[in-house]
């Protein structure tokens, strides 16, 4: 009887399997008590044991880090927390800011025409149309892509070699010369470099699989992404630079969801019929989504946003360049290409013709030369380009700091005078690691005087205060060094009567203004490498001024403890917020998807789950007292498998507090089915004083109904005094279908709550279980968002999986009767009092067009058939 070990799917603890006969049966992990099915070992027992120990060691390390992050140390400087939060938002946001969405206001579920994309969870059983789970896996947890590959391998004849596919020819085009002349903003993202930073948490399996399914491209083949914002209407124009050449038909056949092409200058322009990744990213990284919480009213910009849904186009320019963005913009761009496939060049090298600006290097030649210079000054033309580079022609009124919330008006007082006199803004992220941040910003003002006054009146006072606040936040000295004479204090004992004088003792502090902390000027040729000073590493904020150009450099260092306790929680929190928004925007969720899980769980388990996990007593000091409900894992963890989210539920330890380190990764994940897409995005996340400051959990817009009375979650259903008052679930009990004597179709299981409540979906207690107020049962439930014709009320998800609209003026006695499982009230007129809401008719999935014959972009592109007219 050979023995072996298997890692527990929940905690990865190696579990000893004493007999091979146990394969196919369920065993319990002795560490976390999770029961899982025993699979046959893939290798011998020694290898399995070694792998288990290795994983356990890695898990312990992660737990140690998470334990440190759980220590709460609140900063007393709100402005500093805001600044650091903004930095984190900025670093994460630029990874996909406005990607394929420009700055038009998001509309509904997306910007694409044709049938509405239902996203990862399209079926009422919680699965994708192809049967896979929303997280990209099969219901059994395996990788569908790998499975398909295995099936294909099985189908291949073993004794035949498949015909060789000729390699696609590499592109000879310079990527940076493929932007429209009217580009007003340009981002460059080095994907590999970004994935080596702490923000790599954005590139999880779900996001990568969403990209793969949407574009038909392996995410690992994306080397650089450029995003341009074009013209006054700020239309999106993206360029994906692939690492290796690809065949056109291979991409299009995998992409699938495109309409018939229109040929323009020997290149084909397609229309996306639906694209979940485009919809998700364009909405999640929209200005409203990233910064809306900072504004009383989000600035509208100089040009009103179009009220029509945006049409997204895609064109495979050549074997290594894919253009994606506003369809009309792509059409105009392709139509304007010359015989070499280039747009009109505004800059040139050597001896450019009249009217064309002389450039040092043949890059970024098609954009405004001043925008090109703004990019160059922060490092875009270096041999080693920074991971993130950005430049923008400032449109007055677009950011409008005066509209910031009242508690940010001190920030507005600094930003408004500076932005109002700014022409070009550029920035670059050089380093972001677990111990350092280096970055540079460049501001070109309208005149030398405007630059001088902005430095003297706004930036010097503000940065002096900022250095003090950041020092407090990072627990390390941060020096503000004013390298200008505008508003400069006498450095280190200089002559007070001569503000421009420099004390010789202060000379070592004056450094080149290129790289923060010294080093190469970003306009130079050498790879960017910060100086390594001897002794303790100091942190700086450097301000410089040359004519009408202001430069701001930061070089901040921090300890591992500060990173764990202050910085990492914020990065993770913001990253999970962005990924959560992407998950919601990538779907077209209806409350029927969540309701559809209810009959499946009763059919599988024979009962509705208890409202909180039955947490085993492991703390002897509690002397047998049960853990409070608010510390336990909520019943939503039991619903996850029936929503197709098996991977998430396997990461939950029900014997630990929901906010323990082992459960925080799951708590920070967002579950789109528990959220209302029509709500403000702030309603989709939740915070709690029980977790480290800065960490953000996924929220829920639904709660379980325990019965009649605010204390009903604590009632004992076996007590005759409460038998007619309890609902389907409470803190310590659930219900079997036969116990719901009023009928599952007449009894509420979940009710939708209005926005404005912080409710982590994983938290037990009042966050997820409520009782109805006997005097005013609709109190705390009424809203008008997404209700029929804006009528006040809410939605109730009944025990049988049906959905009803509960109007605010419903007879209280009727609603109270709906909240009990065995009240035996007369609900004959229920359809009138709370009408049923039928699920929307499922719209047909667009059929992919036949893949065109591959041309390997040889220039001899076949003529596309005439587009069909819309009927």
């Amino acid at each position: 009887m050979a023995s072996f070990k298997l890692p527990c799917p929940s905690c990865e603890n190696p579990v000893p399997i004493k007999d091979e006969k146990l394969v196919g049966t369920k065993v319990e992990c002795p560490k976390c008590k999770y029961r899982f099915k025993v699979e046959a070992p893939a290798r011998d027992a020694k290898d399995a044991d070694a792998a288990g120990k290795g994983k356990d060691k890695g898990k312990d390390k992660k737990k140690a880090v998470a334990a440190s992050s759980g220590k709460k140390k609140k900063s007393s400087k709100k402005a500093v927390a805001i600044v650091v939060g903004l930095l984190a938002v900025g670093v994460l946001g630029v990874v996909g800011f406005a990607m394929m969405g420009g700055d038009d206001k998001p509309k509904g579920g997306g910007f694409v025409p044709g049938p509405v994309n239902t996203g990862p969870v399209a079926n009422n059983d919680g699965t994708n149309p192809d049967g896979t789970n929303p997280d990209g896996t099969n219901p059994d947890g395996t990788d569908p892509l790998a499975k398909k590959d295995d099936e294909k391998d099985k189908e291949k004849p073993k004794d035949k070699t498949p015909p060789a596919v000729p390699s696609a020819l590499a592109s000879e085009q310079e990527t940076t010369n493929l932007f429209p002349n009217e580009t007003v903003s340009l981002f460059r993202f080095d994907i590999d470099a970004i994935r080596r930073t702490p923000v790599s948490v954005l590139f999880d399996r779900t996001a990568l699989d969403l990209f793969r399914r949407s574009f038909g491209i392996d995410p690992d083949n994306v080397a650089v992404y450029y995003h341009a914002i074009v013209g006054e209407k700020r239309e999106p124009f993206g360029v994906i630079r692939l690492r290796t050449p690809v065949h056109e038909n291979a991409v299009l056949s995998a992409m699938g969801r495109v309409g018939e092409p229109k040929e323009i200058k020997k290149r084909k322009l397609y229309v996306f019929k639906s694209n979940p990744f485009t919809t998700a990213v364009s909405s999640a990284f929209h200005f409203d989504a990233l910064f809306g919480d900072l504004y009383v009213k989000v600035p509208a910009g100089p040009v009103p946003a179009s009220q029509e849904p945006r049409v997204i186009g895609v064109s495979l320019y050549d074997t290594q360049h894919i253009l994606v963005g506003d369809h009309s913009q792509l059409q105009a761009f392709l139509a304007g290409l010359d015989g070499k496939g280039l747009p009109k060049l505004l800059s040139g090298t050597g001896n450019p013709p009249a009217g064309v600006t002389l450039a040092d290097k043949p890059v970024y030649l098609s954009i405004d030369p001043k925008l090109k210079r703004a990019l160059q000054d922060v490092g875009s033309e270096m041999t080693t380009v920074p991971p993130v580079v950005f430049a923008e022609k400032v449109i007055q009124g677009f950011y409008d700091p005066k509209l910031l919330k009242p508690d940010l008006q001190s920030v507005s007082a600094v930003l408004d005078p500076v932005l109002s006199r700014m022409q070009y803004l550029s920035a670059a992220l050089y380093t972001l690691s677990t111990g350092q941040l280096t970055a540079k910003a460049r501001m070109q003002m309208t005149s030398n005087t405007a630059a001088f006054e902005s430095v003297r009146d706004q930036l010097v006072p503000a940065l002096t205060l900022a250095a003090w606040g950041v020092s407090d936040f990072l627990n390390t000295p941060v020096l503000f060094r004013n390298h200008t004479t505008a508003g400069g204090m006498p450095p280190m004992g200089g002559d007070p009567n001569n503000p421009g004088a420099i004390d010789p003792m202060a000379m070592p502090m004056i450094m080149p203004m290129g790289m923060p902390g010294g080093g190469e000027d970003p306009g130079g040729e050498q790879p960017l490498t910060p100086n390594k000073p001897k002794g303790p590493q100091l942190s700086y904020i450097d301000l410089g001024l040359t004519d009408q150009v202001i430069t701001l450099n930061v070089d901040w260092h921090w300890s591992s403890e500060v990173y764990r306790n202050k910085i990492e929680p914020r990065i993770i929190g913001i990253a999970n917020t962005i990924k959560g928004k992407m998950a919601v925007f990538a779907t077209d969720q209806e409350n029927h998807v969540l309701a559809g899980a209810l009959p499946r769980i009763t059919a599988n388990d024979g009962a509705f789950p208890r409202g909180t996990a039955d947490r085993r007593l492991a703390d002897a000091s509690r002397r047998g007292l049960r853990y409070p409900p608010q510390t336990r894992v909520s019943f939503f963890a039991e619903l996850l498998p029936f929503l197709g989210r098996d991977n998430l539920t396997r990461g939950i330890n029900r014997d630990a507090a929901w906010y323990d380190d082992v459960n925080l990764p799951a708590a920070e994940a967002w579950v789109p089915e528990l959220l209302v897409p029509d709500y403000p995005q702030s309603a989709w996340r939740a915070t709690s004083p029980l977790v480290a400051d800065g960490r953000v959990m996924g929220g829920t817009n639904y709660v379980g109904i325990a019965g009649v009375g605010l204390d009903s979650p604590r009632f004992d259903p076996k007590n005759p005094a409460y038998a007619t008052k309890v609902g389907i679930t409470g803190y310590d009990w659930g219900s079997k279908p036969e116990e719901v004597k009023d009928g599952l179709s007449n009894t509420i299981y979940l009710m939708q709550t209005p926005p404005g409540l912080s409710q982590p979906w994983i938290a037990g207690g009042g966050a997820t279980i409520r009782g109805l107020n006997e005097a005013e049962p609709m109190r705390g439930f009424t809203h008008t968002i997404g209700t029929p014709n804006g009528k006040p009320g809410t939605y109730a998800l009944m025990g049988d999986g049906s959905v009803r609209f509960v109007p605010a003026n419903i007879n209280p006695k009727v609603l109270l009767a709906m909240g009990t499982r065995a009240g035996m009230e007369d609900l004959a007129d229920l359809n009138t009092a709370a009408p049923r809401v039928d699920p929307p008719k499922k719209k047909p999935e667009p059929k992919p067009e036949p893949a065109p014959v591959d041309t390997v972009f040889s220039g001899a592109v076949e003529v596309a058939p005439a587009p069909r007219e819309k009927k």
Side-chain angles (χ1 to χ4, degrees):
M1 294 187 296
S3 63
F4 56 95
K5 292 186 178 182
L6 286 178
C8 171
S10 175
C11 68
E12 298 188 4
N13 176 56
V15 178
I17 308 299
K18 298 181 179 180
D19 193 334
E20 287 184 348
K21 294 181 179 180
L22 294 175
V23 172
T25 64
K26 285 191 174 182
V27 298
E28 183 177 273
C29 172
K31 183 176 180 180
C32 70
K33 309 304 180 185
Y34 178 76
R35 292 183 61 79
F36 65 96
K37 186 177 180 180
V38 177
E39 303 289 347
R43 51 186 181 270
D44 61 48
K46 291 182 179 180
D47 289 343
D49 188 22
K53 290 180 179 179
K55 290 186 177 180
D56 190 50
K57 183 177 180 181
K59 190 71 176 180
D60 291 341
K61 184 176 181 180
K62 290 180 181 178
K63 289 176 67 178
V65 173
S68 298
S69 68
K71 301 175 183 177
K72 298 191 297 178
K73 291 186 177 181
K74 295 185 178 180
S75 171
S76 60
K77 314 297 185 295
K78 184 174 182 180
V80 176
I82 291 172
V83 169
V84 174
L86 282 173
L87 280 171
V89 169
V91 171
L92 290 166
V94 295
V95 178
F97 175 73
M99 186 178 181
M100 282 77 78
D103 291 282
D104 282 352
K105 188 176 181 60
K107 303 169 184 67
F111 303 120
V112 293
V116 177
N117 168 52
T118 57
V121 187
N123 300 332
N124 283 339
D125 62 356
T127 62
N128 293 325
D130 61 1
T132 60
N133 291 332
D135 60 6
T137 63
N138 290 318
D140 60 2
T142 59
D143 188 338
L145 300 176
K147 185 175 181 180
K148 289 177 182 178
D149 290 339
D150 290 343
E151 291 172 353
K152 289 179 181 179
D153 290 340
K154 291 178 181 179
E155 294 172 359
K156 292 179 181 178
K158 298 301 181 181
D159 56 342
K160 292 184 179 181
T161 302
V165 178
S167 299
L169 300 176
S171 171
E172 297 180 354
Q173 197 62 269
E174 167 56 45
T175 308
T176 60
N177 295 331
L178 297 179
F179 304 114
N181 297 157
E182 299 80 12
T183 296
V184 295
S185 182
L186 186 60
F187 298 79
R188 180 191 186 276
F189 308 109
D190 186 323
I191 304 303
D192 282 344
I194 294 171
R195 292 174 75 168
R196 292 194 295 269
T197 72
V199 301
S200 61
V201 291
L202 280 174
F203 300 91
D204 63 4
R205 175 175 177 171
T206 302
L208 296 178
D209 183 67
L210 184 63
F211 179 89
R212 182 187 295 109
R213 288 188 289 112
S214 298
F215 287 103
I217 304 170
D218 184 350
D220 290 335
N221 196 25
V222 178
V224 183
Y225 175 70
Y226 296 85
H227 184 79
I229 297 174
V230 183
E232 290 186 349
K233 294 184 178 180
R234 300 182 70 82
E235 294 168 335
F237 184 97
V239 180
I240 300 173
R241 169 75 187 198
L242 300 178
R243 194 182 316 280
T244 58
V246 296
H247 290 272
E248 181 177 21
N249 67 339
V251 175
L252 291 174
S253 60
M255 192 179 301
R257 298 177 176 183
V258 292
E260 291 188 355
K262 178 178 182 180
E263 184 174 331
I264 306 173
K265 295 286 184 73
K266 295 185 178 181
R267 288 179 173 81
K268 293 178 181 178
L269 175 60
Y270 298 83
V271 174
F272 270 131
K273 290 185 176 180
S274 62
N275 189 284
F277 187 86
T278 300
T279 301
V281 176
S282 61
S283 299
F285 288 99
H286 188 273
F287 186 87
D288 290 25
L290 290 175
F291 303 108
D293 291 343
L294 304 179
Y295 283 90
V296 175
K297 179 182 179 182
V298 177
V303 179
S306 172
Q307 298 304 310
E308 296 297 324
R310 185 185 295 284
V311 179
I312 297 296
V314 60
S315 176
L316 278 72
Y317 176 88
D318 62 19
T319 58
Q320 288 184 267
H321 294 100
I322 299 176
L323 310 182
V324 60
D326 181 84
H327 185 271
S328 60
Q329 179 60 47
L330 286 177
Q331 181 171 298
F333 176 79
L334 293 175
L337 297 179
D338 63 17
K340 297 180 180 180
L342 293 172
K344 179 182 177 181
L345 300 183
L346 304 181
S347 302
T349 56
N351 296 309
V356 177
T357 302
L358 178 63
D360 296 332
K361 295 183 178 181
V363 293
Y364 299 98
L365 299 181
S366 64
I367 64 173
D368 176 3
K370 292 183 179 180
L371 192 65
K372 169 180 164 64
R373 178 56 189 267
L375 284 166
Q376 179 184 7
D377 283 357
V378 293
S380 67
E381 299 183 17
M382 293 171 51
T383 303
T384 303
V385 183
V388 179
V389 179
F390 152 77
E392 176 168 336
K393 181 179 181 180
V394 177
I395 298 177
Q396 295 302 319
F398 182 74
Y399 298 103
D400 200 355
K402 294 189 294 297
L403 297 178
L404 290 170
K405 290 183 176 179
D407 58 346
L408 293 177
Q409 285 305 303
S410 59
V411 177
S412 173
V414 175
L415 292 181
D416 189 49
V418 176
L419 284 173
S420 64
R421 294 182 287 182
M422 190 183 300
Q423 289 183 320
Y424 292 88
L425 171 66
S426 57
L429 172 71
Y430 300 116
T431 306
L432 177 62
S433 67
T434 57
Q436 183 184 20
L437 167 69
T438 58
K440 177 179 180 177
R442 174 193 184 271
M443 295 162 275
Q444 182 174 329
M445 312 303 287
T446 55
S447 66
N448 293 3
T449 301
F452 181 87
E453 292 176 351
S454 296
V455 167
R456 181 192 64 193
D457 300 336
Q458 281 83 38
L459 296 179
V460 168
L463 293 175
T464 301
L465 179 63
W468 172 78
V470 176
S471 298
D472 180 74
F473 184 82
L474 297 180
N475 293 337
T476 186
V478 177
L479 305 180
F480 168 52
R481 304 188 299 189
N482 179 14
H483 297 271
T484 77
T485 59
M489 297 297 292
M492 298 182 63
D495 183 358
N497 298 319
N498 184 6
I502 298 178
D503 188 335
M505 295 297 294
M507 289 301 292
M509 294 183 62
I510 307 301
M511 296 186 178
M513 288 304 300
M515 170 66 186
E520 178 208 358
D521 186 328
E525 288 289 336
Q526 300 302 318
L528 187 66
T529 305
N531 285 351
K532 296 182 180 180
K534 297 179 181 180
Q537 290 181 301
L538 299 178
S539 296
Y540 304 101
I541 299 177
D542 288 332
L543 182 66
L545 175 63
T546 303
D547 298 328
Q548 64 188 84
V549 175
I550 302 170
T551 55
L552 178 65
N553 293 278
V554 298
D555 182 5
W556 296 347
H557 300 265
W558 50 74
S559 66
S560 57
E561 181 181 3
V562 167
Y563 177 77
R564 289 194 303 268
N565 295 340
K566 294 185 177 182
I567 297 173
E568 184 181 39
R570 284 169 170 79
I571 290 177
I572 293 176
I574 295 172
N576 282 321
T577 297
I578 292 174
K579 290 191 295 184
K581 290 178 181 179
M582 287 181 63
V584 177
F585 286 127
T587 66
D588 186 28
Q589 293 293 344
E590 298 286 348
N591 42 30
H592 289 87
V593 176
L594 176 58
L598 307 185
R600 291 197 297 275
I601 193 171
T602 54
N604 186 79
D605 297 347
F608 294 93
R610 49 180 285 152
T612 63
D614 188 11
R615 187 178 174 191
R616 299 186 184 184
L617 287 171
D619 186 354
S621 65
R622 294 193 61 82
R623 299 180 181 276
L625 294 175
R626 301 179 66 82
Y627 291 101
Q630 63 268 26
T631 69
R632 307 177 204 159
V633 171
S634 83
F635 69 103
F636 282 126
E638 307 305 323
L639 289 181
L640 292 177
F642 302 93
L643 294 171
R645 302 194 178 274
D646 305 70
N647 282 354
L648 185 56
T649 194
R650 284 197 290 267
I652 299 173
N653 185 343
R654 292 157 179 76
D655 288 331
W658 70 263
Y659 49 81
D660 276 359
D661 295 332
V662 67
N663 285 327
L664 273 180
E668 291 173 326
W670 291 26
V671 183
E673 296 82 4
L674 303 181
L675 303 172
V676 178
D678 293 331
Y679 278 3
Q681 296 171 26
S682 58
W684 301 340
R685 59 178 178 262
T687 57
S688 171
L690 298 175
V691 300
D693 187 29
R695 301 196 79 153
V696 179
M697 278 72 65
T700 175
N701 302 139
Y702 298 90
V703 296
I705 300 302
V708 174
L710 298 180
D711 291 333
S712 58
R714 301 181 184 276
F715 289 170
D716 181 1
K718 296 179 181 179
N719 187 330
Y722 300 131
T724 60
K725 286 193 171 185
V726 297
I728 291 180
T729 188
Y731 290 158
D732 297 315
W733 45 272
S735 298
K736 296 179 180 179
E738 57 267 26
E739 293 175 322
V740 186
K741 300 185 182 300
D742 290 347
L744 292 174
S745 62
N746 295 330
T747 307
I748 298 173
Y749 185 55
L750 301 172
M751 282 184 74
Q752 183 176 321
T753 57
L757 304 174
S758 188
Q759 304 171 160
W761 66 265
I762 198 174
T768 49
I769 296 287
R770 307 268 171 84
L772 296 176
N773 186 313
E774 290 188 78
E776 300 178 61
M778 280 297 288
R779 179 185 291 181
F781 293 100
T782 301
H783 62 91
T784 58
I785 302 176
T787 58
N789 300 317
K791 184 178 180 179
T794 193
Y795 290 97
L797 279 58
M798 313 304 285
D800 66 340
S802 61
V803 177
R804 292 183 180 273
F805 174 69
V806 183
N809 61 356
I810 189 174
N811 185 327
K813 292 182 179 180
V814 174
L815 181 55
L816 293 174
M818 295 169 65
T820 61
R821 73 181 190 181
M824 308 306 291
E825 302 91 345
D826 182 10
L827 291 175
D829 295 331
L830 182 59
N831 287 334
T832 301
R836 284 178 61 112
V837 180
D838 293 328
K841 293 182 179 179
K842 188 175 180 181
K843 298 182 180 180
E845 189 74 14
K847 295 181 180 180
E849 302 291 340
V853 176
D854 188 18
T855 63
V856 197
F857 303 91
S858 63
V861 182
E862 81 245 42
V863 178
R868 291 176 295 188
E869 294 183 0
K870 296 182 179 179
K871 296 182 179 180

